Amino acid sequence: EVQLLESGGGLVQPGGSLRLSCAASGFTFSSYAMSWVRQAPGKGLEWVSAISSSGDSTYYADSVKGRFTISRDNSKNTLFLQMNSLRAEDTAVYYCAKDYSNYPANCDYWGQGTLVTVSS
Amino acid sequence: EIVLTQSPATLSLSPGERATLSCRASQSVSSYLAWYQQKFGQAPRLLIYDASNRATGIPARFSGSGSGTDFTLTISSLEPEDFALYYCQQRSNWPFTFGPGTKVDIK
């Protein structure tokens, strides 16, 4: 069974940093692209960042480019999102999602999400 | 950035009725369009990918069609568990984008 377990969310002040992690199990992690997708309270979905299966290609939404860094450790089946210079508009539930391909395409499995709140 | 528009915003139907949801792209996305279902407090679930392919485990009452800029998700006969939010998403160009969603609620 595919499982994705996010952690690292919480309350942070504007300008602060957080590192999200996503522990994956139930599939060959190194064979699939992974993504972070967020959802602000009461709002729609926004694709934040994606990474290829090998980690050699990364993708960012313009809203986070230069502030967020996606990475993965295929030896530990873990996906990361380093978030710096956080803003109030980054407040959202952040979902870790598995792609069905080795490059970003569509997400066939999702974690339950971790809430990031940016507020003073 | 490719903008996706979904219509209607809300669809009020009864169980057993047919639901037709539309998604329009600001430019051609070929067949690189997916549909997701999201229930309150839950993560999204992939229903359809590449316009017309059902994801693993998705019932046959869900079907997708279209190409280029106009796409449709059809639920042939609504079951009680189908009342939810539906999003379309394109993977033609990065950044991948989602539509604003269509809410299917009980009439």
Side-chain angles (χ1 to χ4, degrees), chain A residues 78-95:
Chain A
T78 305
L79 176 72
F80 302 101
L81 185 68
Q82 178 66 43
M83 304 187 296
N84 298 331
S85 303
L86 283 161
R87 306 167 180 168
E89 54 265 35
D90 296 318
T91 294
V93 173
Y94 284 72
Y95 294 103

Side-chain angles (χ1 to χ4, degrees), chain A residues 34-102:
Chain A
M34 298 292 295
S35 291
W36 291 98
V37 178
R38 70 184 179 185
Q39 188 168 36
K43 303 296 184 182
L45 300 166
E46 180 185 16
W47 207 304
V48 173
S49 185
I51 187 167
S52 61
S53 58
S54 64
D56 59 354
S57 296
T58 57
Y59 308 80
Y60 298 95
D62 287 346
S63 58
V64 307
K65 198 173 296 182
R67 299 188 298 123
F68 290 12
T69 302
I70 191 171
S71 61
R72 63 192 297 160
D73 185 336
N74 285 346
S75 68
K76 296 183 178 179
N77 294 348
T78 305
L79 176 72
F80 302 101
L81 185 68
Q82 178 66 43
M83 304 187 296
N84 298 331
S85 303
L86 283 161
R87 306 167 180 168
E89 54 265 35
D90 296 318
T91 294
V93 173
Y94 284 72
Y95 294 103
C96 163
K98 169 192 169 293
D99 209 292
Y100 64 63
S101 172
N102 60 333

Side-chain angles (χ1 to χ4, degrees), chain A residues 39 47 59-60 106-107 110-111, chain B residues 34 36 38 43-44 49 89 94:
Chain A
Q39 188 168 36
W47 207 304
Y59 308 80
Y60 298 95
N106 298 121
C107 295
W110 298 62
Chain B
Y36 295 83
Q38 188 178 33
Y49 65 94
Q89 173 249 318
W94 185 265

Side-chain angles (χ1 to χ4, degrees), chain A residues 5-10 19-23 36 78-79 81 94 96 113-114:
Chain A
L5 185 61
E6 303 98 336
S7 60
R19 189 191 199 203
L20 305 184
S21 299
C22 173
W36 291 98
T78 305
L79 176 72
L81 185 68
Y94 284 72
C96 163
T114 186

